[in-house]
Amino acid sequence: MRYIIITISFFLLTGCISGMIDSDAERGAQIHMALAESKEKSLNYQEAIEEYAAISKRYINTSFQKTAVLKAAYLNIHPNNPKIDYMEALSWLQIYSNLLLTPEEEENALILSVLIRRINLIRNEKGKLATLIKRQKEEKTVLIRKLTICETELVSLEKEFSIVKEKLQKIKEVDVQMHKIRKGNTANPLESE
């Protein structure tokens, strides 16, 4: 009988102690959540992310863990965050997906993950296009220089062609005159005698 009373007392005490531990963890998590939220409101995103990360690791199995993990993911992609990190947001979403979620929470996490991956792909494509555009602008500059040189050469050759053409015309005129003179001299060889 004595053992039964001791065993029952032990179980009651254990339940009370674990309840006290759980409530202490909830209170601690609540205090840290308030701190993280104040940092978030004051736009200290990196510090808020660190605080939410600490909550997610330190206060496992509290009612605040899921919220902290999700907030860490969201703040990493917040438009006003100067240090947006899509890969870090994806890793937080992976952690979030491994928690006990409702079907709606799972679906939202999946949609957000897909959108972030799509943003990443678009950013990569944008970077590639920017590099290509830069290279093509450099090539365009080189081609414009070559075109300018060719145009200058063309103008020079056209002037030279014009001069040569004029000289050729003068030579033709002289040749025509000489031909007329020769023809005139050969047509009347008797008249000159």
mmCIF file of all heavy atoms in Angstrom, residues 93-134:
data_model
loop_
_atom_site.group_PDB
_atom_site.id
_atom_site.type_symbol
_atom_site.label_atom_id
_atom_site.label_comp_id
_atom_site.label_asym_id
_atom_site.label_seq_id
_atom_site.Cartn_x
_atom_site.Cartn_y
_atom_site.Cartn_z
ATOM 1 N N LEU A 93 11.990 27.197 -44.431
ATOM 2 C CA LEU A 93 10.742 26.543 -44.855
ATOM 3 C C LEU A 93 10.861 25.027 -44.782
ATOM 4 O O LEU A 93 9.882 24.332 -44.496
ATOM 5 C CB LEU A 93 10.362 26.983 -46.271
ATOM 6 C CG LEU A 93 9.738 28.363 -46.366
ATOM 7 C CD1 LEU A 93 9.554 28.772 -47.816
ATOM 8 C CD2 LEU A 93 8.411 28.422 -45.621
ATOM 9 N N GLN A 94 12.056 24.505 -45.039
ATOM 10 C CA GLN A 94 12.284 23.062 -44.907
ATOM 11 C C GLN A 94 12.110 22.636 -43.447
ATOM 12 O O GLN A 94 11.472 21.624 -43.156
ATOM 13 C CB GLN A 94 13.687 22.698 -45.413
ATOM 14 C CG GLN A 94 13.986 21.226 -45.384
ATOM 15 C CD GLN A 94 13.036 20.428 -46.266
ATOM 16 O OE1 GLN A 94 12.750 20.822 -47.385
ATOM 17 N NE2 GLN A 94 12.547 19.319 -45.763
ATOM 18 N N ILE A 95 12.664 23.437 -42.544
ATOM 19 C CA ILE A 95 12.505 23.150 -41.105
ATOM 20 C C ILE A 95 11.024 23.222 -40.740
ATOM 21 O O ILE A 95 10.498 22.356 -40.031
ATOM 22 C CB ILE A 95 13.331 24.148 -40.251
ATOM 23 C CG1 ILE A 95 14.821 23.920 -40.478
ATOM 24 C CG2 ILE A 95 12.982 24.026 -38.768
ATOM 25 C CD1 ILE A 95 15.713 25.012 -39.915
ATOM 26 N N TYR A 96 10.353 24.244 -41.246
ATOM 27 C CA TYR A 96 8.924 24.433 -40.973
ATOM 28 C C TYR A 96 8.116 23.233 -41.471
ATOM 29 O O TYR A 96 7.215 22.749 -40.785
ATOM 30 C CB TYR A 96 8.451 25.721 -41.641
ATOM 31 C CG TYR A 96 7.001 26.060 -41.412
ATOM 32 C CD1 TYR A 96 6.564 26.535 -40.178
ATOM 33 C CD2 TYR A 96 6.065 25.931 -42.429
ATOM 34 C CE1 TYR A 96 5.231 26.860 -39.968
ATOM 35 C CE2 TYR A 96 4.735 26.257 -42.231
ATOM 36 C CZ TYR A 96 4.321 26.720 -40.994
ATOM 37 O OH TYR A 96 3.005 27.045 -40.783
ATOM 38 N N SER A 97 8.459 22.732 -42.658
ATOM 39 C CA SER A 97 7.737 21.601 -43.242
ATOM 40 C C SER A 97 7.893 20.323 -42.429
ATOM 41 O O SER A 97 7.053 19.434 -42.497
ATOM 42 C CB SER A 97 8.221 21.344 -44.671
ATOM 43 O OG SER A 97 7.922 22.450 -45.476
ATOM 44 N N ASN A 98 8.977 20.234 -41.646
ATOM 45 C CA ASN A 98 9.212 19.046 -40.825
ATOM 46 C C ASN A 98 8.490 19.102 -39.479
ATOM 47 O O ASN A 98 8.527 18.127 -38.717
ATOM 48 C CB ASN A 98 10.715 18.839 -40.600
ATOM 49 C CG ASN A 98 11.409 18.439 -41.890
ATOM 50 O OD1 ASN A 98 10.822 17.820 -42.760
ATOM 51 N ND2 ASN A 98 12.664 18.814 -42.014
ATOM 52 N N LEU A 99 7.840 20.226 -39.177
ATOM 53 C CA LEU A 99 7.079 20.341 -37.928
ATOM 54 C C LEU A 99 5.680 19.757 -38.152
ATOM 55 O O LEU A 99 5.282 19.474 -39.273
ATOM 56 C CB LEU A 99 6.986 21.810 -37.513
ATOM 57 C CG LEU A 99 8.318 22.508 -37.234
ATOM 58 C CD1 LEU A 99 8.088 23.997 -36.964
ATOM 59 C CD2 LEU A 99 9.046 21.864 -36.059
ATOM 60 N N LEU A 100 4.944 19.605 -37.071
ATOM 61 C CA LEU A 100 3.571 19.115 -37.187
ATOM 62 C C LEU A 100 2.693 20.246 -37.706
ATOM 63 O O LEU A 100 2.418 21.210 -36.997
ATOM 64 C CB LEU A 100 3.056 18.637 -35.828
ATOM 65 C CG LEU A 100 3.771 17.419 -35.243
ATOM 66 C CD1 LEU A 100 3.260 17.145 -33.839
ATOM 67 C CD2 LEU A 100 3.541 16.208 -36.138
ATOM 68 N N LEU A 101 2.276 20.125 -38.963
ATOM 69 C CA LEU A 101 1.515 21.185 -39.611
ATOM 70 C C LEU A 101 0.121 20.699 -39.976
ATOM 71 O O LEU A 101 -0.097 19.514 -40.205
ATOM 72 C CB LEU A 101 2.229 21.642 -40.889
ATOM 73 C CG LEU A 101 3.660 22.142 -40.753
ATOM 74 C CD1 LEU A 101 4.228 22.469 -42.128
ATOM 75 C CD2 LEU A 101 3.729 23.355 -39.851
ATOM 76 N N THR A 102 -0.773 21.651 -40.081
ATOM 77 C CA THR A 102 -2.104 21.344 -40.601
ATOM 78 C C THR A 102 -1.978 21.228 -42.123
ATOM 79 O O THR A 102 -1.000 21.719 -42.698
ATOM 80 C CB THR A 102 -3.101 22.473 -40.253
ATOM 81 O OG1 THR A 102 -2.687 23.662 -40.943
ATOM 82 C CG2 THR A 102 -3.176 22.729 -38.756
ATOM 83 N N PRO A 103 -2.923 20.607 -42.775
ATOM 84 C CA PRO A 103 -2.860 20.519 -44.248
ATOM 85 C C PRO A 103 -2.758 21.898 -44.919
ATOM 86 O O PRO A 103 -2.041 22.069 -45.891
ATOM 87 C CB PRO A 103 -4.159 19.817 -44.628
ATOM 88 C CG PRO A 103 -4.510 18.995 -43.422
ATOM 89 C CD PRO A 103 -4.042 19.804 -42.245
ATOM 90 N N GLU A 104 -3.451 22.867 -44.368
ATOM 91 C CA GLU A 104 -3.401 24.221 -44.931
ATOM 92 C C GLU A 104 -1.998 24.824 -44.761
ATOM 93 O O GLU A 104 -1.471 25.453 -45.681
ATOM 94 C CB GLU A 104 -4.439 25.113 -44.236
ATOM 95 C CG GLU A 104 -4.507 26.504 -44.826
ATOM 96 C CD GLU A 104 -5.539 27.376 -44.129
ATOM 97 O OE1 GLU A 104 -6.517 26.830 -43.567
ATOM 98 O OE2 GLU A 104 -5.359 28.598 -44.160
ATOM 99 N N GLU A 105 -1.386 24.627 -43.587
ATOM 100 C CA GLU A 105 -0.031 25.126 -43.361
ATOM 101 C C GLU A 105 0.972 24.440 -44.295
ATOM 102 O O GLU A 105 1.872 25.090 -44.832
ATOM 103 C CB GLU A 105 0.385 24.905 -41.900
ATOM 104 C CG GLU A 105 -0.353 25.780 -40.918
ATOM 105 C CD GLU A 105 -0.100 25.391 -39.462
ATOM 106 O OE1 GLU A 105 0.164 24.185 -39.192
ATOM 107 O OE2 GLU A 105 -0.170 26.282 -38.598
ATOM 108 N N GLU A 106 0.806 23.141 -44.502
ATOM 109 C CA GLU A 106 1.682 22.405 -45.428
ATOM 110 C C GLU A 106 1.554 22.966 -46.841
ATOM 111 O O GLU A 106 2.551 23.169 -47.533
ATOM 112 C CB GLU A 106 1.336 20.914 -45.428
ATOM 113 C CG GLU A 106 1.827 20.163 -44.214
ATOM 114 C CD GLU A 106 1.448 18.687 -44.259
ATOM 115 O OE1 GLU A 106 1.092 18.182 -45.352
ATOM 116 O OE2 GLU A 106 1.508 18.047 -43.208
ATOM 117 N N GLU A 107 0.310 23.208 -47.259
ATOM 118 C CA GLU A 107 0.079 23.727 -48.605
ATOM 119 C C GLU A 107 0.695 25.120 -48.764
ATOM 120 O O GLU A 107 1.346 25.416 -49.769
ATOM 121 C CB GLU A 107 -1.424 23.779 -48.891
ATOM 122 C CG GLU A 107 -1.743 24.219 -50.302
ATOM 123 C CD GLU A 107 -3.238 24.222 -50.580
ATOM 124 O OE1 GLU A 107 -4.018 23.655 -49.788
ATOM 125 O OE2 GLU A 107 -3.617 24.808 -51.608
ATOM 126 N N ASN A 108 0.509 25.978 -47.767
ATOM 127 C CA ASN A 108 1.082 27.326 -47.819
ATOM 128 C C ASN A 108 2.605 27.280 -47.878
ATOM 129 O O ASN A 108 3.231 28.046 -48.614
ATOM 130 C CB ASN A 108 0.617 28.165 -46.633
ATOM 131 C CG ASN A 108 -0.856 28.525 -46.729
ATOM 132 O OD1 ASN A 108 -1.443 28.498 -47.810
ATOM 133 N ND2 ASN A 108 -1.458 28.855 -45.607
ATOM 134 N N ALA A 109 3.205 26.388 -47.087
ATOM 135 C CA ALA A 109 4.667 26.246 -47.091
ATOM 136 C C ALA A 109 5.153 25.762 -48.454
ATOM 137 O O ALA A 109 6.171 26.245 -48.974
ATOM 138 C CB ALA A 109 5.109 25.291 -45.995
ATOM 139 N N LEU A 110 4.420 24.832 -49.043
ATOM 140 C CA LEU A 110 4.790 24.314 -50.361
ATOM 141 C C LEU A 110 4.690 25.405 -51.428
ATOM 142 O O LEU A 110 5.603 25.576 -52.250
ATOM 143 C CB LEU A 110 3.886 23.131 -50.730
ATOM 144 C CG LEU A 110 4.151 22.497 -52.088
ATOM 145 C CD1 LEU A 110 5.541 21.873 -52.131
ATOM 146 C CD2 LEU A 110 3.095 21.446 -52.385
ATOM 147 N N ILE A 111 3.615 26.160 -51.401
ATOM 148 C CA ILE A 111 3.422 27.253 -52.372
ATOM 149 C C ILE A 111 4.534 28.279 -52.223
ATOM 150 O O ILE A 111 5.132 28.724 -53.215
ATOM 151 C CB ILE A 111 2.035 27.904 -52.207
ATOM 152 C CG1 ILE A 111 0.945 26.930 -52.653
ATOM 153 C CG2 ILE A 111 1.941 29.212 -52.973
ATOM 154 C CD1 ILE A 111 -0.468 27.365 -52.312
ATOM 155 N N LEU A 112 4.844 28.652 -50.994
ATOM 156 C CA LEU A 112 5.898 29.634 -50.746
ATOM 157 C C LEU A 112 7.254 29.109 -51.223
ATOM 158 O O LEU A 112 8.033 29.844 -51.838
ATOM 159 C CB LEU A 112 5.946 30.003 -49.259
ATOM 160 C CG LEU A 112 6.874 31.143 -48.875
ATOM 161 C CD1 LEU A 112 6.539 32.416 -49.644
ATOM 162 C CD2 LEU A 112 6.798 31.400 -47.381
ATOM 163 N N SER A 113 7.525 27.840 -50.984
ATOM 164 C CA SER A 113 8.784 27.236 -51.443
ATOM 165 C C SER A 113 8.887 27.277 -52.963
ATOM 166 O O SER A 113 9.938 27.614 -53.515
ATOM 167 C CB SER A 113 8.893 25.784 -50.983
ATOM 168 O OG SER A 113 8.987 25.701 -49.597
ATOM 169 N N VAL A 114 7.793 26.940 -53.630
ATOM 170 C CA VAL A 114 7.783 26.961 -55.098
ATOM 171 C C VAL A 114 8.024 28.387 -55.607
ATOM 172 O O VAL A 114 8.808 28.601 -56.536
ATOM 173 C CB VAL A 114 6.452 26.394 -55.640
ATOM 174 C CG1 VAL A 114 6.291 26.669 -57.121
ATOM 175 C CG2 VAL A 114 6.362 24.904 -55.358
ATOM 176 N N LEU A 115 7.371 29.349 -54.991
ATOM 177 C CA LEU A 115 7.540 30.746 -55.415
ATOM 178 C C LEU A 115 8.976 31.223 -55.202
ATOM 179 O O LEU A 115 9.546 31.899 -56.067
ATOM 180 C CB LEU A 115 6.563 31.655 -54.660
ATOM 181 C CG LEU A 115 5.094 31.509 -55.033
ATOM 182 C CD1 LEU A 115 4.219 32.352 -54.116
ATOM 183 C CD2 LEU A 115 4.870 31.896 -56.489
ATOM 184 N N ILE A 116 9.560 30.868 -54.072
ATOM 185 C CA ILE A 116 10.943 31.277 -53.801
ATOM 186 C C ILE A 116 11.895 30.631 -54.800
ATOM 187 O O ILE A 116 12.815 31.278 -55.314
ATOM 188 C CB ILE A 116 11.345 30.938 -52.350
ATOM 189 C CG1 ILE A 116 10.579 31.845 -51.374
ATOM 190 C CG2 ILE A 116 12.845 31.091 -52.141
ATOM 191 C CD1 ILE A 116 10.756 31.481 -49.920
ATOM 192 N N ARG A 117 11.682 29.361 -55.098
ATOM 193 C CA ARG A 117 12.538 28.689 -56.101
ATOM 194 C C ARG A 117 12.390 29.369 -57.466
ATOM 195 O O ARG A 117 13.369 29.557 -58.190
ATOM 196 C CB ARG A 117 12.190 27.210 -56.186
ATOM 197 C CG ARG A 117 12.732 26.413 -55.030
ATOM 198 C CD ARG A 117 12.524 24.904 -55.206
ATOM 199 N NE ARG A 117 13.074 24.192 -54.088
ATOM 200 C CZ ARG A 117 12.411 23.856 -52.987
ATOM 201 N NH1 ARG A 117 11.134 24.181 -52.869
ATOM 202 N NH2 ARG A 117 13.000 23.201 -52.004
ATOM 203 N N ARG A 118 11.168 29.755 -57.798
ATOM 204 C CA ARG A 118 10.931 30.431 -59.075
ATOM 205 C C ARG A 118 11.643 31.790 -59.098
ATOM 206 O O ARG A 118 12.252 32.162 -60.102
ATOM 207 C CB ARG A 118 9.412 30.608 -59.284
ATOM 208 C CG ARG A 118 9.058 31.196 -60.602
ATOM 209 C CD ARG A 118 9.277 30.197 -61.717
ATOM 210 N NE ARG A 118 8.979 30.837 -62.973
ATOM 211 C CZ ARG A 118 9.717 30.734 -64.048
ATOM 212 N NH1 ARG A 118 10.782 29.979 -64.043
ATOM 213 N NH2 ARG A 118 9.393 31.364 -65.147
ATOM 214 N N ILE A 119 11.565 32.510 -57.992
ATOM 215 C CA ILE A 119 12.272 33.799 -57.887
ATOM 216 C C ILE A 119 13.762 33.582 -58.074
ATOM 217 O O ILE A 119 14.431 34.343 -58.782
ATOM 218 C CB ILE A 119 11.976 34.474 -56.524
ATOM 219 C CG1 ILE A 119 10.549 35.006 -56.492
ATOM 220 C CG2 ILE A 119 12.970 35.600 -56.237
ATOM 221 C CD1 ILE A 119 10.077 35.464 -55.130
ATOM 222 N N ASN A 120 14.296 32.540 -57.448
ATOM 223 C CA ASN A 120 15.720 32.227 -57.581
ATOM 224 C C ASN A 120 16.089 31.963 -59.033
ATOM 225 O O ASN A 120 17.113 32.439 -59.525
ATOM 226 C CB ASN A 120 16.082 31.022 -56.719
ATOM 227 C CG ASN A 120 17.036 31.385 -55.622
ATOM 228 O OD1 ASN A 120 17.486 32.507 -55.515
ATOM 229 N ND2 ASN A 120 17.364 30.414 -54.806
ATOM 230 N N LEU A 121 15.266 31.168 -59.729
ATOM 231 C CA LEU A 121 15.531 30.882 -61.141
ATOM 232 C C LEU A 121 15.498 32.163 -61.977
ATOM 233 O O LEU A 121 16.355 32.380 -62.832
ATOM 234 C CB LEU A 121 14.503 29.887 -61.684
ATOM 235 C CG LEU A 121 14.646 28.441 -61.207
ATOM 236 C CD1 LEU A 121 13.463 27.607 -61.680
ATOM 237 C CD2 LEU A 121 15.950 27.843 -61.713
ATOM 238 N N ILE A 122 14.513 32.997 -61.706
ATOM 239 C CA ILE A 122 14.388 34.252 -62.454
ATOM 240 C C ILE A 122 15.588 35.152 -62.176
ATOM 241 O O ILE A 122 16.134 35.778 -63.092
ATOM 242 C CB ILE A 122 13.053 34.961 -62.116
ATOM 243 C CG1 ILE A 122 11.888 34.151 -62.686
ATOM 244 C CG2 ILE A 122 13.034 36.390 -62.636
ATOM 245 C CD1 ILE A 122 10.522 34.604 -62.215
ATOM 246 N N ARG A 123 16.012 35.230 -60.917
ATOM 247 C CA ARG A 123 17.198 36.037 -60.571
ATOM 248 C C ARG A 123 18.431 35.522 -61.301
ATOM 249 O O ARG A 123 19.238 36.308 -61.803
ATOM 250 C CB ARG A 123 17.445 36.000 -59.060
ATOM 251 C CG ARG A 123 16.564 36.939 -58.276
ATOM 252 C CD ARG A 123 16.860 36.958 -56.788
ATOM 253 N NE ARG A 123 18.253 37.138 -56.514
ATOM 254 C CZ ARG A 123 18.969 36.372 -55.680
ATOM 255 N NH1 ARG A 123 18.392 35.379 -55.048
ATOM 256 N NH2 ARG A 123 20.230 36.612 -55.457
ATOM 257 N N ASN A 124 18.586 34.203 -61.356
ATOM 258 C CA ASN A 124 19.733 33.632 -62.066
ATOM 259 C C ASN A 124 19.681 33.972 -63.554
ATOM 260 O O ASN A 124 20.701 34.339 -64.143
ATOM 261 C CB ASN A 124 19.798 32.117 -61.864
ATOM 262 C CG ASN A 124 20.175 31.741 -60.451
ATOM 263 O OD1 ASN A 124 20.723 32.542 -59.701
ATOM 264 N ND2 ASN A 124 19.878 30.519 -60.062
ATOM 265 N N GLU A 125 18.496 33.838 -64.155
ATOM 266 C CA GLU A 125 18.341 34.177 -65.571
ATOM 267 C C GLU A 125 18.607 35.661 -65.805
ATOM 268 O O GLU A 125 19.233 36.043 -66.790
ATOM 269 C CB GLU A 125 16.935 33.823 -66.062
ATOM 270 C CG GLU A 125 16.725 32.341 -66.269
ATOM 271 C CD GLU A 125 17.656 31.746 -67.303
ATOM 272 O OE1 GLU A 125 17.811 32.327 -68.399
ATOM 273 O OE2 GLU A 125 18.256 30.701 -67.014
ATOM 274 N N LYS A 126 18.126 36.490 -64.885
ATOM 275 C CA LYS A 126 18.351 37.931 -64.987
ATOM 276 C C LYS A 126 19.847 38.232 -64.947
ATOM 277 O O LYS A 126 20.338 39.057 -65.721
ATOM 278 C CB LYS A 126 17.633 38.640 -63.836
ATOM 279 C CG LYS A 126 17.791 40.130 -63.826
ATOM 280 C CD LYS A 126 17.106 40.739 -62.617
ATOM 281 C CE LYS A 126 17.519 42.172 -62.429
ATOM 282 N NZ LYS A 126 17.072 42.714 -61.161
ATOM 283 N N GLY A 127 20.567 37.563 -64.062
ATOM 284 C CA GLY A 127 22.019 37.749 -63.975
ATOM 285 C C GLY A 127 22.712 37.342 -65.265
ATOM 286 O O GLY A 127 23.614 38.038 -65.745
ATOM 287 N N LYS A 128 22.292 36.205 -65.826
ATOM 288 C CA LYS A 128 22.882 35.746 -67.088
ATOM 289 C C LYS A 128 22.613 36.745 -68.215
ATOM 290 O O LYS A 128 23.500 37.051 -69.012
ATOM 291 C CB LYS A 128 22.323 34.374 -67.467
ATOM 292 C CG LYS A 128 22.820 33.242 -66.594
ATOM 293 C CD LYS A 128 22.145 31.935 -66.980
ATOM 294 C CE LYS A 128 22.506 30.812 -66.027
ATOM 295 N NZ LYS A 128 21.773 29.568 -66.332
ATOM 296 N N LEU A 129 21.361 37.255 -68.268
ATOM 297 C CA LEU A 129 21.019 38.224 -69.307
ATOM 298 C C LEU A 129 21.798 39.524 -69.131
ATOM 299 O O LEU A 129 22.252 40.122 -70.115
ATOM 300 C CB LEU A 129 19.511 38.507 -69.294
ATOM 301 C CG LEU A 129 18.632 37.415 -69.876
ATOM 302 C CD1 LEU A 129 17.156 37.758 -69.681
ATOM 303 C CD2 LEU A 129 18.924 37.198 -71.346
ATOM 304 N N ALA A 130 21.971 39.953 -67.894
ATOM 305 C CA ALA A 130 22.735 41.176 -67.637
ATOM 306 C C ALA A 130 24.180 41.008 -68.107
ATOM 307 O O ALA A 130 24.754 41.915 -68.714
ATOM 308 C CB ALA A 130 22.694 41.533 -66.150
ATOM 309 N N THR A 131 24.760 39.846 -67.854
ATOM 310 C CA THR A 131 26.117 39.564 -68.305
ATOM 311 C C THR A 131 26.183 39.560 -69.827
ATOM 312 O O THR A 131 27.105 40.127 -70.421
ATOM 313 C CB THR A 131 26.593 38.205 -67.749
ATOM 314 O OG1 THR A 131 26.519 38.240 -66.320
ATOM 315 C CG2 THR A 131 28.005 37.882 -68.174
ATOM 316 N N LEU A 132 25.203 38.927 -70.458
ATOM 317 C CA LEU A 132 25.157 38.877 -71.923
ATOM 318 C C LEU A 132 25.013 40.278 -72.512
ATOM 319 O O LEU A 132 25.703 40.629 -73.481
ATOM 320 C CB LEU A 132 23.994 37.990 -72.376
ATOM 321 C CG LEU A 132 23.789 37.838 -73.868
ATOM 322 C CD1 LEU A 132 24.985 37.132 -74.503
ATOM 323 C CD2 LEU A 132 22.512 37.061 -74.151
ATOM 324 N N ILE A 133 24.142 41.078 -71.918
ATOM 325 C CA ILE A 133 23.940 42.450 -72.396
ATOM 326 C C ILE A 133 25.231 43.248 -72.267
ATOM 327 O O ILE A 133 25.615 43.979 -73.186
ATOM 328 C CB ILE A 133 22.778 43.129 -71.638
ATOM 329 C CG1 ILE A 133 21.448 42.535 -72.087
ATOM 330 C CG2 ILE A 133 22.788 44.640 -71.843
ATOM 331 C CD1 ILE A 133 20.259 42.938 -71.239
ATOM 332 N N LYS A 134 25.910 43.106 -71.148
ATOM 333 C CA LYS A 134 27.170 43.830 -70.927
ATOM 334 C C LYS A 134 28.197 43.431 -71.990
ATOM 335 O O LYS A 134 28.854 44.288 -72.585
ATOM 336 C CB LYS A 134 27.707 43.536 -69.528
ATOM 337 C CG LYS A 134 28.982 44.265 -69.204
ATOM 338 C CD LYS A 134 29.488 43.922 -67.827
ATOM 339 C CE LYS A 134 30.819 44.595 -67.570
ATOM 340 N NZ LYS A 134 31.409 44.187 -66.311
#
